[in-house]
Amino acid sequence: MTDAPRPRVVIVGAGFAGIACAARLARQPVDVVLIDRRNHHLFQPLLYQVATAALAPADVATPIRHMLRHAENVTVFWDEVTGIDRTGQAVLTGTRRVAYDYLVLATGARHSYFGRDDWAEHAPGLKSLEDAFLLRHRVLGAFERAEMETDPAAREALLEFVIVGAGPTGVELAGAVAELSRRSLTRDFRRVTPACARIRLVEAGPRILPAFDPRLAAVAAENLADMGVELQTDTRVTEIGAGRVRLGETELRAETVIWAAGVQASPAGRWLGVETDRAGRVAVDEALRVPGEGRIFVVGDTAAHRPGGAERPLPGVAPVAKQMGAHAARVIAAAVAGAAPPAPFRYRDWGAMATIGRNKAVAEIGGLRLTGFAAWLLWSAAHVAFLEGMKNRISVGLSWAWSYLTWERGARLIIGSGEAPAREG
């Protein structure tokens, strides 16, 4: 007699949701295959600091195999998923068919240009290390080129930075570029001064940080204004081209435009052949399964989970993804053990934070609202604590301490061609 094969769980995507699911299943009587087209897990909340030369890439990225080295029942495939055979219960990649008994799709999201994908070449977003290298190339390269430029109008266009979208990512990018241009870089140049750079933060809605308490958003707006960032709310971008951007009817010459205005879920819904919402997210039930599918789960930014029939799904932030991934693992573990399923998924909201710059941040934790140094300290401590691995925590902590004392940024290397990477399908 031979032992029956153990159920196989295939997880697609090694972001926050996928890693949380794999870690939770590490000691369960299942075999796990984790598939990702990159070999590293990325701590996206700090990716903007790679783009603005505050941190090195290795500070925010960890090899997936290293993270799961103690999980003997987890196998990692470095491959790209191209589709799903629901009838044959297999994930399709460029090189193989990977059979599954349970499938967890945690494929995240990409940039959304609201039907204007031609803007991507001229206004890159920030979702991957490749994006961060591209933005760092363009931001630092703008100063290098401006130092040599003799035409005043051309130099002005080089030092015009336009950030589209004033959610947490846009706000943090605007603050980081302002500090970089006004304090960290200009001491090293001869012809570029702190007053040369112009940073605009553009938002189509009536205020920045729309998901935050209005009072905190107002404080953040004041902080940004104090740092020299120009806020343009109730302003829509109507065109983006090479070296130019149109805000409403006003066209500006701007060599650096950064997109932080919207996201689109991965093509998981198309792979499954199910209906999605406008952002490409897949509707899931209270157990995070695809309706009518007892063995397919969709979690993280790819899932449209509306607790209690809420009008909007849960936000695409790391805590939501982690809790979803862990819950899917609990449901699978209970099913494999023949135990009663866990209670329906319920997101525990621990609050929201955004940093604007040195000693400037906003945070809301339950009913507590913090601003200034206290919020900045809390933001810093939380992000260091949630980083993967002690090495990264120490490295980031030391980098921040050095930057705080000296205003210097130690990762000011221009890498790559400055060309936008190919968009993901």
Side-chain angles (χ1 to χ4, degrees):
M1 296 180 63
T2 59
D3 294 334
R6 301 198 303 181
R8 174 185 273 187
V9 181
V10 176
I11 303 170
V12 182
F16 289 112
I19 290 292
C21 187
R24 178 73 66 156
L25 291 172
R27 291 175 293 277
Q28 299 297 324
V30 295
D31 291 319
V32 179
V33 176
L34 177 59
I35 307 174
D36 198 285
R37 59 193 180 84
R38 293 185 172 88
N39 80 328
H40 57 268
H41 167 75
L42 185 63
F43 191 78
Q44 280 195 347
L46 292 181
L47 187 58
Y48 80 96
Q49 296 211 1
V50 177
T52 54
L55 295 176
D59 291 336
V60 301
T62 306
I64 300 167
R65 296 182 188 280
H66 180 73
M67 295 177 70
L68 298 170
R69 63 193 183 280
H70 298 305
E72 295 183 359
N73 66 324
V74 178
T75 300
V76 178
F77 285 174
W78 180 37
D79 210 342
E80 184 163 2
V81 173
T82 58
I84 295 168
D85 178 1
R86 290 171 64 181
T87 303
Q89 288 194 192
V91 174
L92 311 179
T93 76
T95 59
R96 58 176 61 87
R97 289 173 58 92
V98 185
Y100 67 83
D101 295 296
Y102 295 91
L103 174 63
V104 181
L105 295 175
T107 44
R110 53 191 171 87
H111 315 305
S112 172
Y113 291 86
F114 307 112
R116 292 300 307 267
D117 288 354
D118 55 306
W119 291 355
E121 178 183 356
H122 310 294
L126 190 58
K127 285 290 182 184
S128 67
L129 282 178
E130 291 87 350
D131 295 334
F133 291 150
L134 171 64
L135 288 181
R136 189 167 69 185
H137 186 290
R138 293 192 178 184
V139 171
L140 297 180
F143 286 93
E144 295 287 351
R145 292 163 59 197
E147 178 79 353
M148 300 180 291
E149 183 58 64
T150 57
D151 178 14
R155 182 189 298 169
E156 186 176 306
L158 282 167
L159 297 178
E160 179 86 45
F161 299 92
V162 179
I163 299 166
V164 184
T169 299
V171 166
E172 291 176 346
L173 270 168
V177 173
E179 286 191 339
L180 181 69
S181 62
R182 284 164 168 71
R183 298 302 299 267
S184 300
L185 281 182
T186 51
R187 292 176 297 178
D188 295 348
F189 288 83
R190 300 294 178 261
R191 303 176 63 190
V192 176
T193 67
C196 290
R198 189 171 187 180
I199 300 102
R200 300 175 192 258
L201 180 59
V202 180
E203 169 59 40
R207 65 181 176 91
I208 69 170
L209 297 177
F212 282 66
D213 182 278
R215 290 167 290 183
L216 294 181
V219 170
E222 291 176 6
N223 289 160
L224 287 169
D226 290 343
M227 297 168 68
V229 177
E230 300 179 30
L231 304 180
Q232 295 188 224
T233 55
D234 291 312
T235 302
R236 291 190 176 276
V237 174
T238 53
E239 189 62 45
I240 301 175
R244 62 184 177 84
V245 58
R246 184 177 298 150
L247 308 179
E249 298 300 320
T250 303
E251 183 161 300
L252 303 173
R253 288 188 64 187
E255 293 291 337
T256 305
V257 182
I258 302 173
W259 189 263
V263 295
Q264 180 80 14
S266 73
R270 188 170 72 243
W271 295 340
L272 294 171
V274 299
E275 187 175 348
T276 62
D277 65 10
R278 293 177 60 186
R281 292 168 296 206
V282 176
V284 294
D285 63 17
E286 59 185 16
L288 306 181
R289 294 172 299 205
V290 175
E293 285 279 1
R295 294 172 176 253
I296 299 179
F297 298 77
V298 181
V299 294
D301 293 351
T302 317
H305 179 63
R306 292 176 168 81
E311 180 180 351
R312 294 184 178 182
L314 291 171
V317 294
V320 172
K322 286 183 175 182
Q323 292 180 36
M324 280 186 165
H327 184 83
R330 285 193 292 268
V331 175
I332 293 170
V336 169
F345 175 72
R346 180 183 177 186
Y347 172 52
R348 295 183 179 180
D349 188 355
W350 300 107
M353 296 179 283
T355 184
I356 297 98
R358 172 185 295 225
N359 299 336
K360 297 179 175 68
V362 293
E364 47 185 337
I365 312 297
L368 179 65
R369 297 179 180 84
L370 298 174
T371 62
F373 179 75
W376 177 81
L377 198 60
L378 178 62
W379 179 94
S380 301
H383 282 71
V384 168
F386 288 132
L387 276 167
E388 176 63 33
M390 185 58 65
K391 175 182 174 293
N392 283 6
R393 296 185 191 114
I394 293 173
S395 178
V396 169
L398 290 175
S399 295
W400 284 351
W402 179 252
S403 179
Y404 190 87
L405 292 172
T406 65
W407 285 102
E408 292 183 8
R409 301 201 173 207
R412 286 166 39 191
L413 304 179
I414 297 176
I415 301 171
S417 66
E419 297 298 323
R423 293 197 74 244
E424 300 160 9

